[in-house]
Amino acid sequence: ARAILRLSQQFPGDPGAMSPLFLNYLLIAPGESFFMAANEPHAYVAGEIIECMACSDNVVRAGLTPKFKDVKNLVDMLTYSMGGPTIEAGTPLSHNGKIIRYTPPVPEFEVIMISVTPSDTIEYKNPGVPSILIVLEGAGTIDGTKVRPGESFYWPANSQSLSLAVAEDRRGKMKLAVAHKNCHIDSPTTINRQDFGSSSHNVTVPSSPMPYMGMPS
């Protein structure tokens, strides 16, 4: 009820304010994630998140926006599947848990979270595919260059490893997100129970909607 009241205040007269009655209302904590398949409606209400998605040239809006709402296309494209997503906390890529991967069961993308504590240095190997790095919090250096929250970088596939460091006198850690093509497609960390089964084992990976980018279909 509080969610409906909040949305109705933010978007007066928008019927989308009633969406909490038929969508999953999720509260997720830092470090948690979930995978959402294509053609599933969703709305981001409050807080800060990272949303990584496959390349797309269209957005079909259902409500909670002053922009155009394409009702006909929306009705035709929705899957109308029921149930909730699996919320998970990723899988460590390092023994100390400072590098965590979030891998969906699709080939287009995955996200790696890296935490560098004061006086620490992490040598992060190039994954062999083009990547985007975003500094989420804290301050430190990347290959000796000072960086701060909000800065982003393109990391070519043929580049060397990166040296990530935080000075000893800093009070907090530096946290970065790295997004690139899925390099762990055979070991997804998160799935949608209704679309892909009840666990990450024996998952049938859906075909890629973008075979023209050289991704498997």
Side-chain angles (χ1 to χ4, degrees):
R2 285 183 293 180
I4 294 175
L5 291 175
R6 178 176 186 173
L7 293 175
S8 63
Q9 292 173 351
Q10 293 178 325
F11 302 92
D14 192 324
M18 304 301 292
S19 58
L21 294 177
F22 52 85
L23 296 181
N24 295 297
Y25 185 69
L26 301 178
L27 298 174
I28 58 175
E32 293 182 337
S33 72
F34 65 91
F35 169 72
M36 179 172 292
N39 299 328
E40 295 291 353
H42 61 283
Y44 162 66
V45 178
E48 295 182 347
I49 62 172
I50 293 177
E51 181 177 2
C52 190
M53 58 187 291
C55 294
S56 173
D57 61 358
N58 65 84
V59 175
V60 179
R61 299 178 179 87
L64 303 180
T65 177
K67 299 180 181 179
F68 175 67
K69 305 176 185 66
D70 194 341
V71 177
K72 183 181 184 304
N73 273 331
L74 177 71
V75 171
D76 291 341
M77 69 188 291
L78 294 180
T79 64
Y80 298 98
S81 61
M82 301 178 65
T86 300
I87 297 178
E88 58 91 31
T91 296
L93 272 179
S94 61
H95 69 280
N96 54 18
K98 293 183 178 181
I99 305 177
I100 306 291
R101 69 174 172 91
Y102 297 85
T103 305
V106 292
E108 284 78 20
F109 60 87
E110 70 177 335
V111 175
I112 311 297
M113 299 296 296
I114 305 174
S115 296
V116 188
T117 54
S119 74
D120 193 13
T121 298
I122 293 178
E123 298 295 328
Y124 190 67
K125 184 180 179 180
N126 190 297
V129 293
S131 306
I132 298 293
L133 285 77
I134 303 176
V135 182
L136 300 179
E137 66 178 67
T141 62
I142 298 180
D143 282 351
T145 301
K146 293 182 179 180
V147 295
R148 59 184 182 179
E151 294 185 328
S152 61
F153 307 87
Y154 174 69
W155 193 15
N158 58 353
S159 298
Q160 299 297 319
S161 299
L162 293 179
S163 179
L164 314 173
V166 174
E168 186 177 359
D169 59 353
R170 301 297 301 185
R171 292 185 177 180
K173 63 185 176 182
M174 177 175 65
K175 182 177 290 186
L176 305 95
V178 183
H180 50 63
K181 177 182 176 181
N182 195 336
C183 298
H184 301 87
I185 186 64
D186 294 329
S187 303
T189 61
T190 181
I191 60 173
N192 182 304
R193 293 182 185 278
Q194 282 63 45
D195 291 340
F196 303 107
S198 59
S199 73
S200 296
H201 302 287
N202 300 319
V203 174
T204 300
V205 178
S207 61
S208 171
M210 299 186 294
Y212 58 85
M213 294 186 66
M215 296 180 179
S217 59

